[in-house]
Each structure stands twice: as C-alpha cells, then as structure tokens.
Amino acid sequence: MRCSPYSDADATRFDRRHLMGSLGLATAGVGLLRGFASGEDDPVEAPIDRHSTIRIRSLQPHICRDRVYVKVETNAGIFGWGEIKGVVPSVAATLATEMFSLIDNQNPTRIEHLWQTLYRAERNQRGGAFMVHCIAGIDMALWDIAGKLWKTPVYRLLGGPTRERIRVYPSAKAVKIGSGPRPQSGDPFDIEEMVSRVRAARQRLGPRGTVMFDAHSAVPPATLIQLASRIEPSNILFLEEPAVPGNIEVFKRLKQQIGIPLALGERDRTIWGVIPYLTENAIDILQPDCGYTGGITQMKKIATLAEAFHVPLAPHCTQSYLGMTASFHVTASIPLFLIHESYDNKLLGRFLHPTWKRSDEGYVSLPEGHGLGIEVDEAMLATVASDPAYRYRWRGPQFYPDGSVADY
Ligand SMILES: [Mg+2]
C-alpha cells in the first residue's frame, strides 16, 4: 500500500488557485504559467507535486555486452535512460526489473524520494554493489526525465553550471600510467619498470602536462611506499587506488608515508562509503563513479561532503557515453573539481549520441539540450547487443607467479 504524503486538509490548504490568490497573482500568475504550459493535466503546469499527473509507467532493461541500459517511460510521453555497469548484466537486468515494482506509477520527478525508496527497500541489500549500481542507472533515467519535463539540462537542476567546460583525461596533455597486480615486496626491477614509465610520460608531456599513476589496488602497501618515493620527483597529479577498500587504517598508514596526493573512491558507494576517508584525512582527491556510487543523486552529495574537507573530485568513469554524460552533469555543477576520466567506447558509441564535444586541449563542452542531453538509437543498440560471438566474462581473478590469487 502506498501512502500519499499529502492529507486532504493539505490539499485544501495548498490548492493551486488558493496559493496564487494568496500571492496576489490569481489572474496574472495563471496567465504566466499558461505561457509555458497549457491545460490542467499538463504535468509541467503543476507547481506543487501533488498536482502533477506524470507517472512512471514502465522500465525496460536492455542488456548490451557487459552492461545494461535502462529506459524508464512515463505516461507523459517522456522517457529517460540510465546505464548499469559493474554487475553481471543478466543479474542487473533482473534486479532493475524487480526494482520497477517499487517505483511503478510514482511521480518520476520525486528523485530523492524514489532513490530512498529503492535504497531502503531491502535492509540486507542496502549499500551493496548490485543494489547501488542498479539504483544508479534508474537514478540517471529519472534525472533525464525531470530535465526533459522541465526543458532544462540536468546540471541546471543541480544548481547551475559552475564551469564552462570540463577537463578530461586521457588527452594530449594528461595521461595516466597504470599498474597490474604486483607481488609482495617488489624487486627493484618491478619498481623500476613502473618508475620508468612515469618518467617517460613526464618527459613527453613536459612541465605543463599532467601525469597520474593508478595502482589499481594491486600494488601491495610496502611496495607502493617504495615506488612512491621513486616517482615523487616526477610531480604526478595523484596516485590512485593505493589499496583495496575495507580498512581505513591501511589508507591512513599509506597517507602518512607517501608524499604524493592520494586519490580513490571508484569502488566506494554512497556518502556512507566515502565519509571515513574524509574524516580520517586519508585522501587528497575523491574519485566517485556516477554509475557505481548511486547515480547523480549520490555523486552530488558526495561532492558536497568532499567540499567541506577541501577535497576536489576527479570522477572515475569507465561508463559509456550515457553514464559519462550523467557524471558530466554533476561535474558541471560542483565547485571543487580536478579532472574527469573519459574514454571513447567506439562500439557502444555506435548507438549513443551525446551533445557535448571533446576538444584537442583536453576538455569537453557541457551537455546541451534537455535532460541528460544524449540520444539513444534503440535500433542500433539492439544490433550491437545481438552479437552472437559475445560472452560475458568475469574480469578476474588474476594470479601471481606462484599461483595465488592477486588483488585487483
Ligand atoms: Mg582506477
């Protein structure tokens, strides 16, 4: 059973005409509203939520390769899209379909309320990766709907643009060097291999270029401390994922012993996942992934938390253009930002057509149009998704030379 948040008494008290009258706008105000909407049933016209007639009608998960694209449709003819990644796609599609029963026939613009509805629907799944990644996809679709309904880019709904363009990597001026799994206590050769790649990148880009290093949680702490002292002269922007999440004490130890800014956050979910890094002063840069951390709604909150600690965001992003565009909207609206990860996935880009543009200088323009500002070609999506040769594969495990399972 669903309870209305408004009583009958509220309905009388906040009657729209009553409200307009109390503002002395009974005639002029109605005319003003009708200037951009017509008819009592038009969802755009309703200034108070309970008058809105827009309702969620369906959710369709489209499995494509290793991810799921969700389309949420409404009775107003407006639909939104979101991306779910990092979950076995058949599981994500099933979970998103089951989640639909929780938001069916609800007003899609009550995004915070619906986020909480999904998040608190099963106490034993709360905060888990499968749940949060699926919520993220649905959350993106709801923001897309709200922006289309109110005819504005999502970043305007998030407070408006704080910047005119978004710095991204990789670019001609910004590169990230990565490491795969390293055994405990690396030999000089192992460390030297990583050091030389960082040095080569610095030499190639010069002092105006940006070099980053991603340890992928795959370099054991002792080895990482040795490595960090060697690459410190190369002045890298940050050292990413210094350890596997789980024990804040590990990050505090690394922070004390490493003289390079530390960045992490791609594998942490929601405000509750990232808060210990901030309160324990364990990091310098936060890297939430819009698709992993709970969507636009959570990423915006995480940015605010980080702001309070003077920690900028360098959003992690291995999503295709859809999830990436959602992340760009948050990035466009926050005050403390460093650089955004952004890759062209040419295969998935065949059916995703964003409105932002990438410049040679290593920036993207802000998304244009209403909602997320990205068009999904459903016919092409179906074509790409129907590749009979594709099989989902687990990303790990990876193994050390002695046969033991490596961290990654
Ligand atoms: Mg990374």
Side-chain angles (χ1 to χ4, degrees):
M1 191 186 92
R2 292 206 173 90
C3 299
S4 165
Y6 304 103
S7 66
D8 288 347
D10 288 337
T12 306
R13 201 162 40 242
F14 294 111
D15 173 85
R16 182 172 62 87
R17 230 165 292 155
H18 177 88
L19 183 70
M20 300 301 273
S22 70
L23 293 171
L25 298 170
T27 307
V30 170
L32 194 67
L33 280 174
R34 293 230 162 105
F36 58 88
S38 59
E40 199 69 25
D41 290 338
D42 192 318
V44 181
E45 188 178 23
I48 297 175
D49 180 67
R50 73 187 161 81
H51 289 290
S52 176
T53 56
I54 189 168
R55 293 291 180 269
I56 294 170
R57 280 291 178 256
S58 71
L59 183 153
Q60 300 150 34
H62 299 265
I63 295 177
C64 185
R65 314 292 286 191
D66 63 342
R67 62 200 77 195
V68 175
Y69 295 92
V70 286
K71 182 181 186 184
V72 176
E73 290 187 287
T74 67
N75 61 345
I78 296 169
F79 54 85
W81 284 92
E83 179 173 351
I84 305 172
K85 186 172 178 282
V87 180
V88 177
S90 57
V91 175
T94 302
L95 195 47
T97 301
E98 292 297 331
M99 283 179 170
F100 169 67
S101 66
L102 296 162
I103 60 172
D104 184 18
N105 205 36
Q106 295 290 303
N107 181 336
T109 66
R110 298 183 68 195
I111 301 171
E112 178 69 36
H113 179 68
L114 296 183
W115 196 98
Q116 299 293 342
T117 298
L118 295 171
Y119 189 72
R120 296 166 194 266
E122 170 51 72
R123 61 186 300 186
N124 297 301
Q125 288 182 40
R126 176 176 167 150
F130 285 17
M131 168 187 262
V132 175
H133 291 209
C134 289
I135 293 175
I138 294 171
D139 178 86
M140 292 174 201
L142 298 180
W143 281 102
D144 195 19
I145 290 169
K148 287 171 178 169
L149 177 67
W150 291 318
K151 297 181 170 46
T152 188
V154 168
Y155 64 76
R156 292 251 173 226
L157 300 177
L158 298 172
T162 51
R163 55 185 44 79
E164 293 166 4
R165 53 186 185 159
I166 296 168
R167 186 182 175 208
V168 293
Y169 73 90
S171 75
K173 296 186 173 172
V175 298
K176 194 161 80 180
I177 308 298
S179 171
R182 301 278 165 176
Q184 302 290 332
S185 299
D187 293 330
F189 173 83
D190 285 330
I191 292 175
E192 208 55 45
E193 188 272 333
M194 293 185 275
V195 172
S196 63
R197 283 193 292 138
V198 171
R199 274 194 194 139
R202 170 54 69 209
Q203 258 171 11
R204 184 160 56 82
L205 295 183
R208 287 187 174 275
T210 298
V211 180
M212 297 152 276
F213 183 83
D214 192 346
H216 283 126
S217 308
V219 182
T223 308
L224 192 69
I225 291 165
Q226 289 177 299
L227 168 71
S229 66
R230 295 293 314 284
I231 61 175
E232 204 172 325
S234 292
N235 272 314
I236 66 171
L237 187 65
F238 55 70
L239 195 164
E240 176 172 331
E241 282 208 293
V244 181
N247 181 359
I248 190 65
E249 298 302 325
V250 175
F251 294 92
K252 287 162 66 178
R253 173 158 60 102
L254 290 169
K255 180 67 193 143
Q256 283 163 5
Q257 298 192 50
I258 291 177
I260 296 170
L262 296 182
L264 57 82
E266 68 185 80
R267 290 205 272 176
D268 298 286
R269 293 164 191 91
T270 75
I271 50 175
W272 297 285
V274 303
I275 193 79
Y277 301 117
L278 297 167
T279 55
E280 297 291 343
N281 296 308
I283 56 160
D284 302 281
I285 294 141
L286 197 52
Q287 299 181 293
D289 184 305
C290 190
Y292 297 167
T293 204
I296 291 169
T297 301
Q298 276 298 307
M299 188 170 162
K300 176 75 176 180
K301 291 183 183 184
I302 287 170
T304 305
L305 275 186
E307 180 192 348
F309 290 85
H310 291 231
V311 168
L313 259 55
H316 173 269
C317 188
T318 54
Q319 310 263 320
S320 61
Y321 292 144
L322 183 50
M324 191 186 301
T325 301
S327 186
F328 284 160
H329 278 278
V330 180
T331 303
S333 75
I334 62 174
L336 301 187
F337 164 71
L338 191 56
I339 195 166
H340 197 296
E341 195 169 21
S342 171
Y343 305 102
D344 290 317
N345 186 321
K346 291 215 161 50
L347 180 66
L348 301 177
R350 286 174 63 191
F351 58 85
L352 296 170
H353 306 296
T355 48
W356 46 265
K357 303 230 172 351
R358 196 185 294 280
S359 75
D360 293 339
E361 291 81 43
Y363 287 86
V364 297
S365 59
L366 300 194
E368 294 173 12
H370 305 151
L372 291 178
I374 182 162
E375 185 205 330
V376 180
D377 179 340
E378 284 188 62
M380 185 56 76
L381 165 57
T383 301
V384 173
S386 66
D387 178 1
Y390 179 79
R391 291 281 177 280
Y392 174 77
R393 302 227 188 287
W394 294 92
R395 291 184 66 193
Q398 299 196 42
F399 297 92
Y400 292 127
D402 67 359
S404 60
V405 181
D407 267 332
Y408 184 63

